[in-house]
Amino acid sequence: MAILLVLLYTLFSASTIAYSAFAPFVPPDNFLIDCGADKSSILNDGRTFKTEDQSKQFLQAKEEIKVSVEKGDVPSPIYLSARIFVTDAIYSFHLTKPGWHWVRLHFYPFKNDQFDLSKATFSVNTNKYVLLHSFNMDNNTNYVLKEYLLNVTDPQFSIKFMPMKNSAAFINAIEVVSAPDDLITDDANDLTPVGKFSGLSTLSYQTMYRLNVGGPLVNSANDTLGRTWTPDGSYLKSKALAKSVTVATTVVKYPDGLTPLIAPQSVYASAVEMAESNVNNPNFNVTWNFEADPAFGYLIRFHFCDIVSKALNDLYFNVYINGKMAIADLDLSHELENQLAAAYYKDIVVNASLMSNGVSVEIGPSKLDSGDLNAILNGLEILKISNSVNSLDGEFGVDGSKAVGGIGTRKTVAVVGFAMMFGAFVGLGAMVIKWHKRPQDWQKRNSFSSWLLPLHAGDNSFMSSKNSIGSHKNNFYSSTLGLGRYFSFAELQEATKNFDANEVIGVGGFGNVYLGVIDDGTKVAVKRGNAQSEQGLTEFQTEIQMLSKLRHRHLVSLIGYCDENSEMILVYEYMANGPLRDHLYGKNLPPLSWKQRLEICIGAARGLHYLHTGTAQGIIHRDVKTTNILLDENLTAKVSDFGLSKDAPMGQGHVSTAVKGSFGYLDPEYFRRQQLTDKSDVYSFGVVLLEAICARPAINPALPREQVNLADWAMQWKRKGLLDKIIDPLLVGSMNPESLKKFAEAAEKCLAEHGVDRPTMGDVLWNLEYTLQLQEAFSQGKDDQDDGNSIATVAASPAIVPATPNASTPDTRPVSHPEETNSPAKSQATDEHSGTAMFAQFTNLSGR
Ligand SMILES: *[C@@H]1O[C@H](CO)[C@@H](O)[C@H](O)[C@H]1NC(C)=O
Ligand SMILES: *[C@@H]1O[C@H](CO)[C@@H](O)[C@H](O)[C@H]1NC(C)=O
Ligand SMILES: *[C@@H]1O[C@H](CO)[C@@H](O)[C@H](O)[C@H]1NC(C)=O
Ligand SMILES: *[C@@H]1O[C@H](CO)[C@@H](O)[C@H](O)[C@H]1NC(C)=O
Ligand SMILES: *[C@@H]1O[C@H](CO)[C@@H](O)[C@H](O)[C@H]1NC(C)=O
């Protein structure tokens, strides 16, 4: 035993010594974050990625969600969780040492039946550099690693994720790790004109390719700097001309000044040489081709190690980039003071002006009349160089300034200096000029609507209001209704104290919602679209037309609008008690009684029933959720945020296949078939019912996995007949168990897998009214008798529950509430059938 221990110890210390000879690099800054994860992940390279909570970074995000998948085709667990942002989000780091830092962003675009991250489009900036501009995964479903090497000079370092409009940003893991100072030194060779290039240390880089030429994959476990070196085979122009050579890694020596930090031994221990170099007198090049963005310059680092020569001064060769001589007559044994198998590297800068289509690297024999005709390459790194406005993607800088040609930095300084002077003199004029300098399609390139789902966008979100669907636009023109009241901009300025930040009662992607007071002291909610909004004026007007047509006691009504000075402002009735959600959880408001909750659900159901059946075509809300059910001063429920959609699929040949909705509320069938019917609203309303009774969010990522999704979780309990175990504790004891049972049944039917199996809103409404009657009878019975046996009384006494058919058969009678409507669009549907037919038609048209 003792001998074994000694042996082990010897082995261990031997390997320690071997390592310490290369003085392993200990990064002063080492942030490894497994975004959205609930616990840290240990990789097989030994590194530990911590959760956001454990790591010392700071995340600032207004609307975000944590998501995860069980498994995926990924190399490490860090890809299985993500954080999704609907608005800008910033990770801030306090760095301890300036200089080179790796910034690695890991993306894995997983999808489930609620969202598809491969459709997300977003930009990523640091405080100084643009890393990704309008980035998306382009249908790619594989994981992606973006690696940057930034010379960070400010101890406050931040990474900002910016989703494009109607889209979202996501990130699975982040690394911010110090790199050695001498990893990139100031000097390199220019490709042409041949000469010295200096200033490399002030630029920043993105790794485009890093190859272990002639060898296998070397991953972060085999590279102390966490780099990955991929095999080169797929980039070879002709595999037949290339031959791999490999030696034992221990053969590779590092001359003075070089360490494995430049590249590990396993990279130098393999190479590609010219095939058949020893047979004929070969006269050809070995060529690798790479894709590259011609708008940028590149730093190309060649790694050589002569593992093929038998004797010194036997190998002379040339290296070309894009057909131009990069290194002529390279004699490694001369460069390395007569050593074979020693590591050597050379940096070449390619000016953007020399870039054509991609980068091509060639090696071939020298014309010098000595030695073998052969050429080798062991490793290759192609790094994109930041442009004059510190961007590594696109031509605009963090501040919106536009890049000028070349890669020098001096020019940038001059341009910025000039712009600042100009700005100081001309003030706003400079801004206008900057704007005009942008390419014509700038707006287009910056706007995307491909993201599948706007996520839950918070209270009073304007974003969600864009997700509803309107009826056929052409019919608006035949409407006899006006557009509601026209407000002048000045009027609304006065009403909102000039859009005072203190008057903001809601914030969304589309703009802010302000509390306003108009003429007679009437309070109104003023939604102001922001200047960058994509919504065109025509769509805006069309929407106003539709909205002003809808009048119902349980729909929030539009009072008027303003489109002066290309403003896009909508004025709604003010709902003093805000969203239903605030009364259920999270805001510590006085709890609602069961009866109040029922009445609110009934009100919302009436509003939706009217939307579905009350107009000629029927309108599908598309974003039913507890934040879109608002309460007035009497706790009367009104459905809000409907009809603002510019994606109305029937309008002017528009086709909308994009699934819209909110996390946790989305009809799974709608998602699968991309066909919208009124039954999708019914599904979402089922989730609202559960939220009302369980008093928890539709999605709560903080809970254990099986509890995250309210609909799934509650239905599991319902099927066991135990829904009462998870209801809001504040309700326990005050409910008629029969009323609870009926309510749970209604919710369950709404959540049926297939739309055809779900009830109409009319049925739901009817069931809820019955539930309320059961509850009222119960309360009355309780008051009268207070003997706790009232349930039996209720069940046995049809007289107390008038006009109630057998509770177990769903009633399909139409429900009419003429007293609820003050709309001249009087067509309160009285025939369920016609409503269904209309939706069938609607669906067909939307598929055009
Ligand atoms: C980073 O850039 C600054 C100038 O911007 C320079 O002084 C410094 O040496 C650079 N750091 C490294 C590690 O090259
Ligand atoms: C992505 O998929 C869509 C639809 O399948 C297709 O139209 C589009 O061309 C694809 N994009 C790329 C970059 O392959
Ligand atoms: C990487 O490291 C592992 C363990 O340290 C070793 O078994 C493997 O051979 C290495 N791979 C390469 C390509 O060096
Ligand atoms: C190798 O490539 C360079 C640059 O494209 C070219 O000038 C040279 O003639 C090529 N050599 C051979 C032997 O084909
Ligand atoms: C890149 O090329 C352009 C045009 O030839 C030149 O003006 C610029 O100075 C070059 N930049 C560098 C860094 O060599």
Side-chain angles (χ1 to χ4, degrees), residues 77-103:
I78 57 172
Y79 288 102
L80 297 180
S81 66
R83 216 171 256 273
I84 303 178
F85 307 111
V86 196
T87 56
D88 292 1
I90 300 176
Y91 283 87
S92 306
F93 305 84
H94 187 83
L95 303 184
T96 55
K97 190 169 176 288
W100 293 121
H101 284 75
W102 299 113
V103 173

PDB file of all heavy atoms in Angstrom, residues 77-103:
ATOM      1  N   PRO A  77     -22.938  20.764 -20.667  1.00  0.00           N
ATOM      2  CA  PRO A  77     -24.243  21.114 -20.086  1.00  0.00           C
ATOM      3  C   PRO A  77     -24.551  22.612 -20.102  1.00  0.00           C
ATOM      4  O   PRO A  77     -25.709  22.990 -19.923  1.00  0.00           O
ATOM      5  CB  PRO A  77     -24.141  20.599 -18.640  1.00  0.00           C
ATOM      6  CG  PRO A  77     -22.689  20.450 -18.371  1.00  0.00           C
ATOM      7  CD  PRO A  77     -22.058  20.122 -19.675  1.00  0.00           C
ATOM      8  N   ILE A  78     -23.530  23.448 -20.333  1.00  0.00           N
ATOM      9  CA  ILE A  78     -23.806  24.884 -20.300  1.00  0.00           C
ATOM     10  C   ILE A  78     -24.766  25.313 -21.402  1.00  0.00           C
ATOM     11  O   ILE A  78     -25.369  26.372 -21.325  1.00  0.00           O
ATOM     12  CB  ILE A  78     -22.514  25.728 -20.409  1.00  0.00           C
ATOM     13  CG1 ILE A  78     -21.736  25.380 -21.673  1.00  0.00           C
ATOM     14  CG2 ILE A  78     -21.661  25.538 -19.175  1.00  0.00           C
ATOM     15  CD1 ILE A  78     -20.556  26.315 -21.910  1.00  0.00           C
ATOM     16  N   TYR A  79     -24.927  24.471 -22.428  1.00  0.00           N
ATOM     17  CA  TYR A  79     -25.816  24.847 -23.524  1.00  0.00           C
ATOM     18  C   TYR A  79     -27.287  24.550 -23.225  1.00  0.00           C
ATOM     19  O   TYR A  79     -28.166  24.938 -23.977  1.00  0.00           O
ATOM     20  CB  TYR A  79     -25.407  24.115 -24.807  1.00  0.00           C
ATOM     21  CG  TYR A  79     -24.109  24.635 -25.397  1.00  0.00           C
ATOM     22  CD1 TYR A  79     -22.919  23.956 -25.241  1.00  0.00           C
ATOM     23  CD2 TYR A  79     -24.098  25.842 -26.094  1.00  0.00           C
ATOM     24  CE1 TYR A  79     -21.736  24.443 -25.770  1.00  0.00           C
ATOM     25  CE2 TYR A  79     -22.921  26.335 -26.630  1.00  0.00           C
ATOM     26  CZ  TYR A  79     -21.744  25.628 -26.472  1.00  0.00           C
ATOM     27  OH  TYR A  79     -20.576  26.129 -27.000  1.00  0.00           O
ATOM     28  N   LEU A  80     -27.531  23.827 -22.143  1.00  0.00           N
ATOM     29  CA  LEU A  80     -28.900  23.339 -21.927  1.00  0.00           C
ATOM     30  C   LEU A  80     -29.807  24.323 -21.196  1.00  0.00           C
ATOM     31  O   LEU A  80     -30.992  24.080 -21.022  1.00  0.00           O
ATOM     32  CB  LEU A  80     -28.855  22.003 -21.177  1.00  0.00           C
ATOM     33  CG  LEU A  80     -28.158  20.882 -21.951  1.00  0.00           C
ATOM     34  CD1 LEU A  80     -28.145  19.596 -21.156  1.00  0.00           C
ATOM     35  CD2 LEU A  80     -28.810  20.658 -23.311  1.00  0.00           C
ATOM     36  N   SER A  81     -29.247  25.428 -20.755  1.00  0.00           N
ATOM     37  CA  SER A  81     -30.109  26.449 -20.158  1.00  0.00           C
ATOM     38  C   SER A  81     -29.801  27.761 -20.849  1.00  0.00           C
ATOM     39  O   SER A  81     -28.739  27.932 -21.437  1.00  0.00           O
ATOM     40  CB  SER A  81     -29.844  26.565 -18.661  1.00  0.00           C
ATOM     41  OG  SER A  81     -28.540  27.059 -18.457  1.00  0.00           O
ATOM     42  N   ALA A  82     -30.749  28.673 -20.802  1.00  0.00           N
ATOM     43  CA  ALA A  82     -30.535  29.961 -21.462  1.00  0.00           C
ATOM     44  C   ALA A  82     -31.335  31.028 -20.742  1.00  0.00           C
ATOM     45  O   ALA A  82     -32.245  30.730 -19.958  1.00  0.00           O
ATOM     46  CB  ALA A  82     -30.971  29.902 -22.928  1.00  0.00           C
ATOM     47  N   ARG A  83     -30.963  32.246 -21.026  1.00  0.00           N
ATOM     48  CA  ARG A  83     -31.770  33.352 -20.574  1.00  0.00           C
ATOM     49  C   ARG A  83     -32.251  34.079 -21.833  1.00  0.00           C
ATOM     50  O   ARG A  83     -31.471  34.277 -22.763  1.00  0.00           O
ATOM     51  CB  ARG A  83     -30.949  34.286 -19.685  1.00  0.00           C
ATOM     52  CG  ARG A  83     -31.738  34.890 -18.556  1.00  0.00           C
ATOM     53  CD  ARG A  83     -30.821  35.604 -17.606  1.00  0.00           C
ATOM     54  NE  ARG A  83     -30.608  34.845 -16.398  1.00  0.00           N
ATOM     55  CZ  ARG A  83     -31.400  34.917 -15.327  1.00  0.00           C
ATOM     56  NH1 ARG A  83     -32.442  35.700 -15.315  1.00  0.00           N
ATOM     57  NH2 ARG A  83     -31.122  34.216 -14.246  1.00  0.00           N
ATOM     58  N   ILE A  84     -33.524  34.425 -21.843  1.00  0.00           N
ATOM     59  CA  ILE A  84     -34.110  35.099 -22.999  1.00  0.00           C
ATOM     60  C   ILE A  84     -34.499  36.502 -22.581  1.00  0.00           C
ATOM     61  O   ILE A  84     -35.071  36.694 -21.509  1.00  0.00           O
ATOM     62  CB  ILE A  84     -35.355  34.330 -23.492  1.00  0.00           C
ATOM     63  CG1 ILE A  84     -34.976  32.886 -23.828  1.00  0.00           C
ATOM     64  CG2 ILE A  84     -35.971  35.016 -24.693  1.00  0.00           C
ATOM     65  CD1 ILE A  84     -36.150  32.046 -24.266  1.00  0.00           C
ATOM     66  N   PHE A  85     -34.167  37.458 -23.419  1.00  0.00           N
ATOM     67  CA  PHE A  85     -34.484  38.849 -23.109  1.00  0.00           C
ATOM     68  C   PHE A  85     -35.391  39.424 -24.177  1.00  0.00           C
ATOM     69  O   PHE A  85     -35.135  39.265 -25.359  1.00  0.00           O
ATOM     70  CB  PHE A  85     -33.210  39.689 -23.066  1.00  0.00           C
ATOM     71  CG  PHE A  85     -32.147  39.130 -22.165  1.00  0.00           C
ATOM     72  CD1 PHE A  85     -30.986  38.613 -22.692  1.00  0.00           C
ATOM     73  CD2 PHE A  85     -32.332  39.123 -20.798  1.00  0.00           C
ATOM     74  CE1 PHE A  85     -30.002  38.088 -21.867  1.00  0.00           C
ATOM     75  CE2 PHE A  85     -31.359  38.598 -19.958  1.00  0.00           C
ATOM     76  CZ  PHE A  85     -30.192  38.083 -20.499  1.00  0.00           C
ATOM     77  N   VAL A  86     -36.423  40.120 -23.741  1.00  0.00           N
ATOM     78  CA  VAL A  86     -37.327  40.757 -24.700  1.00  0.00           C
ATOM     79  C   VAL A  86     -36.967  42.224 -24.864  1.00  0.00           C
ATOM     80  O   VAL A  86     -37.263  42.853 -25.862  1.00  0.00           O
ATOM     81  CB  VAL A  86     -38.784  40.624 -24.235  1.00  0.00           C
ATOM     82  CG1 VAL A  86     -39.723  40.920 -25.383  1.00  0.00           C
ATOM     83  CG2 VAL A  86     -39.040  39.253 -23.689  1.00  0.00           C
ATOM     84  N   THR A  87     -36.335  42.791 -23.851  1.00  0.00           N
ATOM     85  CA  THR A  87     -35.835  44.152 -23.978  1.00  0.00           C
ATOM     86  C   THR A  87     -34.341  44.116 -23.679  1.00  0.00           C
ATOM     87  O   THR A  87     -33.813  43.081 -23.284  1.00  0.00           O
ATOM     88  CB  THR A  87     -36.525  45.104 -22.986  1.00  0.00           C
ATOM     89  OG1 THR A  87     -36.348  44.584 -21.675  1.00  0.00           O
ATOM     90  CG2 THR A  87     -38.016  45.206 -23.281  1.00  0.00           C
ATOM     91  N   ASP A  88     -33.670  45.246 -23.842  1.00  0.00           N
ATOM     92  CA  ASP A  88     -32.224  45.279 -23.642  1.00  0.00           C
ATOM     93  C   ASP A  88     -31.842  44.739 -22.263  1.00  0.00           C
ATOM     94  O   ASP A  88     -32.518  45.016 -21.279  1.00  0.00           O
ATOM     95  CB  ASP A  88     -31.710  46.721 -23.768  1.00  0.00           C
ATOM     96  CG  ASP A  88     -31.838  47.223 -25.194  1.00  0.00           C
ATOM     97  OD1 ASP A  88     -32.329  46.455 -26.050  1.00  0.00           O
ATOM     98  OD2 ASP A  88     -31.448  48.373 -25.441  1.00  0.00           O
ATOM     99  N   ALA A  89     -30.778  43.995 -22.236  1.00  0.00           N
ATOM    100  CA  ALA A  89     -30.311  43.440 -20.963  1.00  0.00           C
ATOM    101  C   ALA A  89     -28.804  43.587 -20.907  1.00  0.00           C
ATOM    102  O   ALA A  89     -28.123  43.477 -21.930  1.00  0.00           O
ATOM    103  CB  ALA A  89     -30.700  41.976 -20.846  1.00  0.00           C
ATOM    104  N   ILE A  90     -28.277  43.868 -19.725  1.00  0.00           N
ATOM    105  CA  ILE A  90     -26.843  44.126 -19.594  1.00  0.00           C
ATOM    106  C   ILE A  90     -26.230  43.259 -18.499  1.00  0.00           C
ATOM    107  O   ILE A  90     -26.726  43.219 -17.374  1.00  0.00           O
ATOM    108  CB  ILE A  90     -26.593  45.620 -19.248  1.00  0.00           C
ATOM    109  CG1 ILE A  90     -27.153  46.513 -20.351  1.00  0.00           C
ATOM    110  CG2 ILE A  90     -25.111  45.882 -19.035  1.00  0.00           C
ATOM    111  CD1 ILE A  90     -27.040  47.988 -20.038  1.00  0.00           C
ATOM    112  N   TYR A  91     -25.178  42.567 -18.864  1.00  0.00           N
ATOM    113  CA  TYR A  91     -24.335  41.902 -17.868  1.00  0.00           C
ATOM    114  C   TYR A  91     -23.153  42.825 -17.591  1.00  0.00           C
ATOM    115  O   TYR A  91     -22.454  43.223 -18.524  1.00  0.00           O
ATOM    116  CB  TYR A  91     -23.788  40.586 -18.408  1.00  0.00           C
ATOM    117  CG  TYR A  91     -24.763  39.434 -18.438  1.00  0.00           C
ATOM    118  CD1 TYR A  91     -25.599  39.223 -19.523  1.00  0.00           C
ATOM    119  CD2 TYR A  91     -24.834  38.536 -17.377  1.00  0.00           C
ATOM    120  CE1 TYR A  91     -26.484  38.152 -19.556  1.00  0.00           C
ATOM    121  CE2 TYR A  91     -25.710  37.462 -17.399  1.00  0.00           C
ATOM    122  CZ  TYR A  91     -26.533  37.271 -18.482  1.00  0.00           C
ATOM    123  OH  TYR A  91     -27.394  36.213 -18.516  1.00  0.00           O
ATOM    124  N   SER A  92     -22.927  43.168 -16.338  1.00  0.00           N
ATOM    125  CA  SER A  92     -21.795  44.043 -15.998  1.00  0.00           C
ATOM    126  C   SER A  92     -20.772  43.261 -15.184  1.00  0.00           C
ATOM    127  O   SER A  92     -21.137  42.472 -14.321  1.00  0.00           O
ATOM    128  CB  SER A  92     -22.265  45.235 -15.176  1.00  0.00           C
ATOM    129  OG  SER A  92     -23.299  45.903 -15.823  1.00  0.00           O
ATOM    130  N   PHE A  93     -19.506  43.534 -15.483  1.00  0.00           N
ATOM    131  CA  PHE A  93     -18.416  42.838 -14.817  1.00  0.00           C
ATOM    132  C   PHE A  93     -17.445  43.877 -14.269  1.00  0.00           C
ATOM    133  O   PHE A  93     -17.164  44.872 -14.932  1.00  0.00           O
ATOM    134  CB  PHE A  93     -17.647  41.955 -15.807  1.00  0.00           C
ATOM    135  CG  PHE A  93     -18.512  40.976 -16.537  1.00  0.00           C
ATOM    136  CD1 PHE A  93     -19.214  41.359 -17.682  1.00  0.00           C
ATOM    137  CD2 PHE A  93     -18.630  39.672 -16.094  1.00  0.00           C
ATOM    138  CE1 PHE A  93     -20.009  40.456 -18.361  1.00  0.00           C
ATOM    139  CE2 PHE A  93     -19.431  38.766 -16.772  1.00  0.00           C
ATOM    140  CZ  PHE A  93     -20.119  39.159 -17.912  1.00  0.00           C
ATOM    141  N   HIS A  94     -16.943  43.623 -13.097  1.00  0.00           N
ATOM    142  CA  HIS A  94     -15.873  44.482 -12.604  1.00  0.00           C
ATOM    143  C   HIS A  94     -14.566  43.733 -12.791  1.00  0.00           C
ATOM    144  O   HIS A  94     -14.323  42.714 -12.144  1.00  0.00           O
ATOM    145  CB  HIS A  94     -16.093  44.846 -11.142  1.00  0.00           C
ATOM    146  CG  HIS A  94     -15.097  45.852 -10.674  1.00  0.00           C
ATOM    147  ND1 HIS A  94     -15.262  47.196 -10.896  1.00  0.00           N
ATOM    148  CD2 HIS A  94     -13.903  45.700 -10.062  1.00  0.00           C
ATOM    149  CE1 HIS A  94     -14.210  47.838 -10.428  1.00  0.00           C
ATOM    150  NE2 HIS A  94     -13.376  46.960  -9.918  1.00  0.00           N
ATOM    151  N   LEU A  95     -13.719  44.254 -13.692  1.00  0.00           N
ATOM    152  CA  LEU A  95     -12.491  43.542 -14.024  1.00  0.00           C
ATOM    153  C   LEU A  95     -11.362  44.015 -13.122  1.00  0.00           C
ATOM    154  O   LEU A  95     -11.331  45.172 -12.694  1.00  0.00           O
ATOM    155  CB  LEU A  95     -12.133  43.767 -15.495  1.00  0.00           C
ATOM    156  CG  LEU A  95     -13.223  43.348 -16.494  1.00  0.00           C
ATOM    157  CD1 LEU A  95     -12.728  43.532 -17.923  1.00  0.00           C
ATOM    158  CD2 LEU A  95     -13.672  41.912 -16.264  1.00  0.00           C
ATOM    159  N   THR A  96     -10.431  43.102 -12.845  1.00  0.00           N
ATOM    160  CA  THR A  96      -9.349  43.459 -11.932  1.00  0.00           C
ATOM    161  C   THR A  96      -8.100  43.910 -12.685  1.00  0.00           C
ATOM    162  O   THR A  96      -7.267  44.602 -12.131  1.00  0.00           O
ATOM    163  CB  THR A  96      -8.972  42.265 -11.034  1.00  0.00           C
ATOM    164  OG1 THR A  96      -8.653  41.165 -11.877  1.00  0.00           O
ATOM    165  CG2 THR A  96     -10.129  41.889 -10.127  1.00  0.00           C
ATOM    166  N   LYS A  97      -7.967  43.497 -13.949  1.00  0.00           N
ATOM    167  CA  LYS A  97      -6.742  43.841 -14.666  1.00  0.00           C
ATOM    168  C   LYS A  97      -7.084  44.190 -16.112  1.00  0.00           C
ATOM    169  O   LYS A  97      -7.772  43.427 -16.780  1.00  0.00           O
ATOM    170  CB  LYS A  97      -5.795  42.631 -14.633  1.00  0.00           C
ATOM    171  CG  LYS A  97      -4.389  42.904 -15.137  1.00  0.00           C
ATOM    172  CD  LYS A  97      -3.478  41.729 -14.815  1.00  0.00           C
ATOM    173  CE  LYS A  97      -2.088  41.925 -15.389  1.00  0.00           C
ATOM    174  NZ  LYS A  97      -2.039  41.788 -16.870  1.00  0.00           N
ATOM    175  N   PRO A  98      -6.586  45.352 -16.599  1.00  0.00           N
ATOM    176  CA  PRO A  98      -6.865  45.695 -17.996  1.00  0.00           C
ATOM    177  C   PRO A  98      -6.054  44.797 -18.939  1.00  0.00           C
ATOM    178  O   PRO A  98      -5.157  44.100 -18.500  1.00  0.00           O
ATOM    179  CB  PRO A  98      -6.400  47.150 -18.102  1.00  0.00           C
ATOM    180  CG  PRO A  98      -5.366  47.287 -17.052  1.00  0.00           C
ATOM    181  CD  PRO A  98      -5.761  46.359 -15.935  1.00  0.00           C
ATOM    182  N   GLY A  99      -6.371  44.847 -20.209  1.00  0.00           N
ATOM    183  CA  GLY A  99      -5.617  44.072 -21.190  1.00  0.00           C
ATOM    184  C   GLY A  99      -6.484  43.040 -21.879  1.00  0.00           C
ATOM    185  O   GLY A  99      -7.710  43.127 -21.854  1.00  0.00           O
ATOM    186  N   TRP A 100      -5.835  42.064 -22.501  1.00  0.00           N
ATOM    187  CA  TRP A 100      -6.561  41.081 -23.302  1.00  0.00           C
ATOM    188  C   TRP A 100      -7.534  40.268 -22.469  1.00  0.00           C
ATOM    189  O   TRP A 100      -7.192  39.767 -21.413  1.00  0.00           O
ATOM    190  CB  TRP A 100      -5.602  40.119 -24.009  1.00  0.00           C
ATOM    191  CG  TRP A 100      -4.771  40.771 -25.062  1.00  0.00           C
ATOM    192  CD1 TRP A 100      -3.410  40.823 -25.099  1.00  0.00           C
ATOM    193  CD2 TRP A 100      -5.245  41.466 -26.215  1.00  0.00           C
ATOM    194  NE1 TRP A 100      -2.993  41.507 -26.215  1.00  0.00           N
ATOM    195  CE2 TRP A 100      -4.106  41.918 -26.921  1.00  0.00           C
ATOM    196  CE3 TRP A 100      -6.498  41.757 -26.729  1.00  0.00           C
ATOM    197  CZ2 TRP A 100      -4.189  42.640 -28.102  1.00  0.00           C
ATOM    198  CZ3 TRP A 100      -6.590  42.493 -27.904  1.00  0.00           C
ATOM    199  CH2 TRP A 100      -5.437  42.913 -28.572  1.00  0.00           C
ATOM    200  N   HIS A 101      -8.744  40.138 -22.985  1.00  0.00           N
ATOM    201  CA  HIS A 101      -9.739  39.260 -22.369  1.00  0.00           C
ATOM    202  C   HIS A 101     -10.433  38.458 -23.470  1.00  0.00           C
ATOM    203  O   HIS A 101     -10.799  39.022 -24.504  1.00  0.00           O
ATOM    204  CB  HIS A 101     -10.800  40.066 -21.617  1.00  0.00           C
ATOM    205  CG  HIS A 101     -10.314  40.607 -20.309  1.00  0.00           C
ATOM    206  ND1 HIS A 101      -9.471  41.678 -20.211  1.00  0.00           N
ATOM    207  CD2 HIS A 101     -10.571  40.208 -19.038  1.00  0.00           C
ATOM    208  CE1 HIS A 101      -9.212  41.920 -18.935  1.00  0.00           C
ATOM    209  NE2 HIS A 101      -9.865  41.047 -18.197  1.00  0.00           N
ATOM    210  N   TRP A 102     -10.593  37.193 -23.211  1.00  0.00           N
ATOM    211  CA  TRP A 102     -11.491  36.404 -24.051  1.00  0.00           C
ATOM    212  C   TRP A 102     -12.919  36.753 -23.667  1.00  0.00           C
ATOM    213  O   TRP A 102     -13.245  36.798 -22.487  1.00  0.00           O
ATOM    214  CB  TRP A 102     -11.338  34.898 -23.811  1.00  0.00           C
ATOM    215  CG  TRP A 102      -9.998  34.308 -24.085  1.00  0.00           C
ATOM    216  CD1 TRP A 102      -9.137  33.776 -23.177  1.00  0.00           C
ATOM    217  CD2 TRP A 102      -9.378  34.139 -25.352  1.00  0.00           C
ATOM    218  NE1 TRP A 102      -8.018  33.299 -23.799  1.00  0.00           N
ATOM    219  CE2 TRP A 102      -8.139  33.503 -25.138  1.00  0.00           C
ATOM    220  CE3 TRP A 102      -9.738  34.465 -26.665  1.00  0.00           C
ATOM    221  CZ2 TRP A 102      -7.258  33.189 -26.167  1.00  0.00           C
ATOM    222  CZ3 TRP A 102      -8.864  34.149 -27.687  1.00  0.00           C
ATOM    223  CH2 TRP A 102      -7.644  33.521 -27.448  1.00  0.00           C
ATOM    224  N   VAL A 103     -13.732  36.975 -24.654  1.00  0.00           N
ATOM    225  CA  VAL A 103     -15.171  37.032 -24.398  1.00  0.00           C
ATOM    226  C   VAL A 103     -15.765  35.940 -25.272  1.00  0.00           C
ATOM    227  O   VAL A 103     -15.637  35.977 -26.500  1.00  0.00           O
ATOM    228  CB  VAL A 103     -15.766  38.403 -24.758  1.00  0.00           C
ATOM    229  CG1 VAL A 103     -17.284  38.377 -24.651  1.00  0.00           C
ATOM    230  CG2 VAL A 103     -15.191  39.471 -23.836  1.00  0.00           C
TER     231      VAL A 103
END
